[in-house]
mmCIF file of all heavy atoms in Angstrom:
data_model
loop_
_atom_site.group_PDB
_atom_site.id
_atom_site.type_symbol
_atom_site.label_atom_id
_atom_site.label_comp_id
_atom_site.label_asym_id
_atom_site.label_seq_id
_atom_site.Cartn_x
_atom_site.Cartn_y
_atom_site.Cartn_z
ATOM 1 N N LYS J 247 41.394 35.442 -32.683
ATOM 2 C CA LYS J 247 40.458 34.379 -32.784
ATOM 3 C C LYS J 247 38.991 35.001 -32.652
ATOM 4 O O LYS J 247 38.143 34.715 -33.501
ATOM 5 C CB LYS J 247 40.701 33.385 -31.726
ATOM 6 C CG LYS J 247 40.056 32.086 -31.978
ATOM 7 C CD LYS J 247 40.542 31.033 -30.980
ATOM 8 C CE LYS J 247 39.586 29.902 -30.790
ATOM 9 N NZ LYS J 247 39.949 29.117 -29.576
ATOM 10 N N LYS J 248 38.866 35.793 -31.675
ATOM 11 C CA LYS J 248 37.511 36.343 -31.379
ATOM 12 C C LYS J 248 36.967 37.137 -32.511
ATOM 13 O O LYS J 248 35.880 37.042 -32.987
ATOM 14 C CB LYS J 248 37.493 37.046 -30.095
ATOM 15 C CG LYS J 248 36.245 37.527 -29.632
ATOM 16 C CD LYS J 248 36.278 38.327 -28.349
ATOM 17 C CE LYS J 248 35.190 39.266 -28.165
ATOM 18 N NZ LYS J 248 35.408 40.234 -27.072
ATOM 19 N N GLN J 292 29.617 17.313 -36.549
ATOM 20 C CA GLN J 292 30.334 17.498 -35.242
ATOM 21 C C GLN J 292 30.291 18.891 -34.830
ATOM 22 O O GLN J 292 30.128 19.206 -33.532
ATOM 23 C CB GLN J 292 31.821 16.972 -35.371
ATOM 24 C CG GLN J 292 31.962 15.482 -35.626
ATOM 25 C CD GLN J 292 31.340 14.695 -34.526
ATOM 26 O OE1 GLN J 292 30.358 14.064 -34.678
ATOM 27 N NE2 GLN J 292 31.997 14.708 -33.305
ATOM 28 N N LEU J 295 27.126 19.952 -33.210
ATOM 29 C CA LEU J 295 26.924 19.332 -31.880
ATOM 30 C C LEU J 295 27.934 19.825 -30.863
ATOM 31 O O LEU J 295 27.842 19.510 -29.702
ATOM 32 C CB LEU J 295 27.003 17.808 -32.038
ATOM 33 C CG LEU J 295 25.874 17.109 -32.796
ATOM 34 C CD1 LEU J 295 26.225 15.693 -33.099
ATOM 35 C CD2 LEU J 295 24.569 17.219 -32.054
ATOM 36 N N PRO J 297 30.299 22.903 -28.765
ATOM 37 C CA PRO J 297 29.986 24.185 -28.148
ATOM 38 C C PRO J 297 30.022 25.345 -29.156
ATOM 39 O O PRO J 297 29.548 26.343 -28.868
ATOM 40 C CB PRO J 297 31.102 24.371 -27.116
ATOM 41 C CG PRO J 297 31.726 23.039 -26.818
ATOM 42 C CD PRO J 297 31.473 22.224 -28.142
ATOM 43 N N LYS J 303 26.150 27.232 -37.046
ATOM 44 C CA LYS J 303 24.788 27.155 -37.696
ATOM 45 C C LYS J 303 24.522 28.212 -38.823
ATOM 46 O O LYS J 303 24.179 27.932 -39.907
ATOM 47 C CB LYS J 303 23.712 27.066 -36.618
ATOM 48 C CG LYS J 303 22.359 26.735 -37.210
ATOM 49 C CD LYS J 303 21.291 26.616 -36.062
ATOM 50 C CE LYS J 303 19.961 26.453 -36.677
ATOM 51 N NZ LYS J 303 18.899 26.407 -35.707
ATOM 52 N N THR J 331 46.002 32.093 -18.492
ATOM 53 C CA THR J 331 45.368 33.377 -18.676
ATOM 54 C C THR J 331 46.049 34.332 -17.617
ATOM 55 O O THR J 331 45.276 35.215 -17.209
ATOM 56 C CB THR J 331 43.825 33.294 -18.484
ATOM 57 O OG1 THR J 331 43.624 32.605 -17.247
ATOM 58 C CG2 THR J 331 43.242 32.502 -19.635
ATOM 59 N N GLY J 688 22.989 11.992 -41.229
ATOM 60 C CA GLY J 688 21.771 12.333 -40.662
ATOM 61 C C GLY J 688 21.476 13.891 -40.663
ATOM 62 O O GLY J 688 20.772 14.400 -39.887
ATOM 63 N N SER J 690 20.280 17.463 -42.676
ATOM 64 C CA SER J 690 19.045 17.866 -43.471
ATOM 65 C C SER J 690 19.522 18.247 -44.917
ATOM 66 O O SER J 690 20.226 19.230 -45.110
ATOM 67 C CB SER J 690 18.365 19.092 -42.806
ATOM 68 O OG SER J 690 17.563 19.665 -43.785
ATOM 69 N N THR D 93 17.370 21.836 -36.395
ATOM 70 C CA THR D 93 16.779 22.065 -37.672
ATOM 71 C C THR D 93 17.588 21.693 -38.848
ATOM 72 O O THR D 93 17.156 21.431 -39.943
ATOM 73 C CB THR D 93 16.453 23.581 -37.863
ATOM 74 O OG1 THR D 93 17.641 24.332 -37.473
ATOM 75 C CG2 THR D 93 15.275 23.967 -37.007
ATOM 76 N N LEU D 94 18.989 21.632 -38.660
ATOM 77 C CA LEU D 94 19.851 21.232 -39.780
ATOM 78 C C LEU D 94 20.111 19.715 -39.770
ATOM 79 O O LEU D 94 20.874 19.192 -40.515
ATOM 80 C CB LEU D 94 21.124 21.954 -39.649
ATOM 81 C CG LEU D 94 21.111 23.532 -39.772
ATOM 82 C CD1 LEU D 94 22.516 24.141 -39.892
ATOM 83 C CD2 LEU D 94 20.379 23.820 -41.072
ATOM 84 N N ALA D 96 18.389 15.787 -40.141
ATOM 85 C CA ALA D 96 17.215 15.165 -40.653
ATOM 86 C C ALA D 96 16.455 14.403 -39.561
ATOM 87 O O ALA D 96 15.295 14.137 -39.678
ATOM 88 C CB ALA D 96 17.568 14.232 -41.815
ATOM 89 N N GLU D 122 29.826 8.972 -29.759
ATOM 90 C CA GLU D 122 31.329 9.084 -29.875
ATOM 91 C C GLU D 122 31.840 9.684 -28.644
ATOM 92 O O GLU D 122 31.171 10.472 -27.975
ATOM 93 C CB GLU D 122 31.716 9.955 -31.055
ATOM 94 C CG GLU D 122 31.590 9.242 -32.441
ATOM 95 C CD GLU D 122 31.455 10.283 -33.593
ATOM 96 O OE1 GLU D 122 31.206 11.479 -33.319
ATOM 97 O OE2 GLU D 122 31.597 9.841 -34.725
ATOM 98 N N GLN D 145 40.629 24.999 -27.106
ATOM 99 C CA GLN D 145 40.698 25.593 -25.774
ATOM 100 C C GLN D 145 40.358 27.123 -25.889
ATOM 101 O O GLN D 145 40.882 27.701 -26.932
ATOM 102 C CB GLN D 145 42.027 25.454 -25.168
ATOM 103 C CG GLN D 145 42.144 26.029 -23.778
ATOM 104 C CD GLN D 145 43.533 25.947 -23.255
ATOM 105 O OE1 GLN D 145 44.455 25.238 -23.732
ATOM 106 N NE2 GLN D 145 43.889 26.675 -22.224
ATOM 107 N N LEU D 147 38.738 31.037 -23.985
ATOM 108 C CA LEU D 147 38.339 31.763 -22.926
ATOM 109 C C LEU D 147 36.832 32.033 -22.933
ATOM 110 O O LEU D 147 36.256 32.209 -23.985
ATOM 111 C CB LEU D 147 38.964 33.107 -22.855
ATOM 112 C CG LEU D 147 40.308 33.261 -22.108
ATOM 113 C CD1 LEU D 147 40.754 34.775 -22.081
ATOM 114 C CD2 LEU D 147 40.144 32.805 -20.628
ATOM 115 N N ASP D 149 34.792 34.472 -22.556
ATOM 116 C CA ASP D 149 34.594 35.967 -22.382
ATOM 117 C C ASP D 149 33.122 36.349 -22.499
ATOM 118 O O ASP D 149 32.215 35.446 -22.701
ATOM 119 C CB ASP D 149 35.390 36.691 -23.302
ATOM 120 C CG ASP D 149 35.189 36.441 -24.753
ATOM 121 O OD1 ASP D 149 34.046 36.053 -25.008
ATOM 122 O OD2 ASP D 149 36.030 36.604 -25.628
ATOM 123 N N ASP D 222 15.616 29.609 -32.536
ATOM 124 C CA ASP D 222 15.749 29.298 -33.929
ATOM 125 C C ASP D 222 15.121 28.017 -34.201
ATOM 126 O O ASP D 222 15.147 27.420 -35.273
ATOM 127 C CB ASP D 222 17.187 29.328 -34.438
ATOM 128 C CG ASP D 222 18.080 28.314 -33.649
ATOM 129 O OD1 ASP D 222 17.527 27.541 -32.899
ATOM 130 O OD2 ASP D 222 19.217 28.275 -33.938
ATOM 131 N N ASP D 224 15.685 24.988 -32.645
ATOM 132 C CA ASP D 224 16.412 23.872 -32.164
ATOM 133 C C ASP D 224 16.022 23.530 -30.712
ATOM 134 O O ASP D 224 15.626 24.500 -30.008
ATOM 135 C CB ASP D 224 17.962 24.141 -32.133
ATOM 136 C CG ASP D 224 18.519 24.128 -33.556
ATOM 137 O OD1 ASP D 224 17.805 23.778 -34.440
ATOM 138 O OD2 ASP D 224 19.772 24.416 -33.653
#
Side-chain angles (χ1 to χ4, degrees):
Chain J
K247 200 173 157 190
K248 184 180 157 191
Q292 293 301 107
L295 293 168
K303 189 177 171 184
T331 53
S690 164
Chain D
T93 49
L94 295 187
E122 283 156 345
Q145 184 186 342
L147 267 184
D149 60 23
D222 61 5
D224 287 355

